[in-house]
Amino acid sequence: MYLTYDEYLELGFDKATDFIKLEAYAERHLNAVTQDYYMLHSLAEDTNEYRVQKFKLAMAIQVDYLNGLGDDISLSGLLNNSPSSVSIGRTRIENKSAGMTATVGRTMLSTEAYTELIYTGLLYKGVAYQ
């Protein structure tokens, strides 16, 4: 568990109705974009306080984002339940990626959570060269 309920509240969040379930899903989403960094390294022992705080803030944001989605918080559920077009009178609006505007690509990570991670180094996808 990367974020406790008390930490979640201390960060100013309080919308999560099922925090334990949502935190587990948020972990999966953040692990996917950070290449499992905190699965391989201890979050509690990380000496980079900036990175730790930004990561926990991203976790809290992601928990709230998932809470807002309702019962189906999987990527396939979001894609399947989102309409690809809407018609009002003679006006038709089509969106091939409906429902995904608030996420980064097809990751289910909210853009707001992703933004918190930008300057932490956790999103780096390069190869170490020596």
Side-chain angles (χ1 to χ4, degrees), residues 109-121:
L109 186 67
S110 75
T111 54
E112 190 177 356
Y114 185 87
T115 300
E116 292 299 328
L117 298 174
I118 288 176
Y119 299 110
T120 63

Side-chain angles (χ1 to χ4, degrees), residues 34-86:
T34 63
Q35 294 83 48
D36 297 330
Y37 184 82
Y38 283 118
M39 288 182 74
L40 302 171
H41 304 89
S42 172
L43 179 65
E45 295 175 14
D46 191 342
T47 59
N48 186 331
E49 193 60 33
Y50 173 78
R51 179 173 52 211
V52 170
Q53 288 305 313
K54 286 293 197 173
F55 185 81
K56 288 187 179 216
L57 181 57
M59 281 290 297
I61 291 168
Q62 186 67 13
V63 166
D64 269 11
Y65 172 73
L66 293 172
N67 186 68
L69 292 179
D71 291 336
D72 196 350
I73 56 177
S74 66
L75 178 59
S76 59
L78 183 62
L79 291 172
N80 291 336
N81 293 330
S82 299
S84 60
S85 66
V86 176

